[in-house]
Amino acid sequence: MAVADLLVVISDPILGWIGFIYFRDSFLLITPVCCLITFLVFATTMVSVWFTVAFTFDRFVAICCGKLKTSYCTEKTATVIVGAVSLLSCFESVPWYFVYEPKYTIDNVSWYCVTKPSFHISLAWRAFELFNRILTPCVPFFLILLLNVLTVRRILVSSRGRTGLRGHSNRQNHKDPEMENRRKSIILLFGVSGSFLLLWMIQAVYTIYRRIANIQSYSSVTDPRLIAERTARMLQLLSSCTNTCIYAVTQTKFRQELKNAMKYPFKLIAALVKP
């Protein structure tokens, strides 16, 4: 998930926006290159979103499905899921490479990317865009909400039963390690999936509005609709930066490994200078 989120940050804000604004004469604006960047933006975004769904489902299986847990929650299964999600996301995003055409051709070199007129009038392109918007983020919204509700319900039911078995006096005087683990699971689950839902919500609502209102261009940079779109896009990109922070806050092992990584260069230098 961290790698996928990092790729989103590299492909969209850095290569896409910063490259377009500050390096307008660079190779990034050659038509095949900017088409490739567009493909990477959509592919990495879809990978990031569906990794969040896969994580939510993994937590659901680990907490709610005791029999399935032993066979599903394995390193082999995780490898297969990560590979399948990555390949399918890249395959689904390939058509975005062909959405654009060059704006200028100078010395047989195509520059800039403009949307093909057929993209706005072709039934096939409209169907593909609708399918893409349903696949990301509408379906993930539904799956994450459903899995979270089922997971939390199972945790609450199990917690009541465990509390009753431990007894009132024992509950007051001693901490229950199992209850602490469940509490941390709830925090992590709602941290990752909740931030995804909140930060993607405006983007999803605006996408529906833009399709209903048939918005294809904006009058100026001060157009409220353009400001709303850019704000929604900013929040969407911010969702790709939150997972690592959530892990750092909630996971003790993650924090310890992060500290070890920060201390390692100093330990290496100390070992080299030690007589």
Side-chain angles (χ1 to χ4, degrees):
M1 289 176 68
V3 171
D5 293 340
L6 179 61
L7 291 176
V8 173
V9 174
I10 292 174
S11 61
D12 200 334
I14 297 178
L15 294 180
W17 289 98
I18 295 177
F20 178 78
I21 295 173
Y22 296 103
F23 302 96
R24 297 188 65 84
D25 295 326
S26 69
F27 74 97
L28 295 175
L29 296 181
I30 298 175
T31 302
V33 177
C34 67
C35 288
L36 178 62
I37 293 174
T38 300
F39 159 75
L40 291 175
V41 168
F42 281 95
T44 55
T45 300
M46 182 164 288
V47 169
S48 176
V49 169
W50 281 96
F51 275 178
T52 304
V53 176
F55 166 79
T56 307
F57 182 74
D58 181 84
R59 295 297 85 201
F60 167 76
V61 172
I63 295 173
C64 302
C65 307
K67 294 181 180 180
L68 182 60
K69 176 182 176 180
T70 55
S71 59
Y72 180 83
C73 297
T74 63
E75 184 177 350
K76 181 180 179 180
T77 302
T79 303
V80 172
I81 294 297
V82 168
V85 170
S86 301
L87 289 175
L88 291 175
S89 298
C90 291
F91 178 76
E92 194 277 339
S93 302
V94 166
W96 289 108
Y97 182 90
F98 303 99
V99 168
Y100 300 99
E101 62 184 9
K103 186 176 182 179
Y104 306 111
T105 301
I106 303 174
D107 296 331
N108 295 324
V109 178
S110 302
W111 289 90
Y112 296 97
C113 291
V114 294
T115 307
K116 294 178 179 178
S118 60
F119 180 76
H120 300 292
I121 59 177
S122 171
L123 182 60
W125 278 120
R126 286 179 174 271
F128 168 73
E129 185 183 18
L130 179 61
F131 172 75
N132 184 267
R133 300 306 180 187
I134 292 175
L135 199 61
T136 305
C138 295
V139 174
F141 270 15
F142 172 77
L143 292 177
I144 289 174
L145 284 173
L146 176 63
L147 293 172
N148 279 345
V149 169
L150 295 176
T151 302
V152 172
R153 186 182 68 173
R154 177 58 182 268
I155 290 175
L156 293 177
V157 171
S158 300
S159 298
R160 291 195 196 101
R162 188 175 180 86
T163 301
L165 290 174
R166 286 178 60 85
H168 181 72
S169 60
N170 194 28
R171 184 176 71 247
Q172 286 183 331
N173 298 327
H174 302 282
K175 289 186 177 180
D176 185 354
E178 181 64 23
M179 295 291 288
E180 288 295 314
N181 289 334
R182 291 177 181 177
R183 184 181 65 82
K184 291 180 179 179
S185 295
I186 292 178
I187 294 174
L188 180 60
L189 181 65
F190 273 92
V192 173
S193 55
S195 66
F196 168 79
L197 292 173
L198 291 175
L199 294 174
W200 268 86
M201 183 65 68
I202 297 178
Q203 175 73 2
V205 172
Y206 183 81
T207 298
I208 296 173
Y209 166 74
R210 184 172 64 86
R211 173 57 62 186
I212 294 175
N214 194 27
I215 300 174
Q216 299 181 8
S217 61
Y218 302 101
S219 58
S220 66
V221 293
T222 59
D223 191 326
R225 297 174 300 176
L226 177 61
I227 295 174
E229 180 187 12
R230 292 292 180 260
T231 302
R233 188 66 177 275
M234 179 188 68
L235 293 175
Q236 174 206 321
L237 292 173
L238 183 61
S239 70
S240 299
C241 307
T242 56
N243 288 342
T244 304
C245 297
I246 292 171
Y247 280 124
V249 170
T250 60
Q251 298 295 291
T252 304
K253 291 183 179 180
F254 187 93
R255 294 197 300 270
Q256 185 60 46
E257 291 298 325
L258 188 62
K259 292 177 182 178
N260 293 338
M262 296 175 65
K263 294 178 181 178
Y264 180 77
F266 300 100
K267 290 182 179 179
L268 184 61
I269 294 173
L272 291 175
V273 299
K274 185 177 181 180

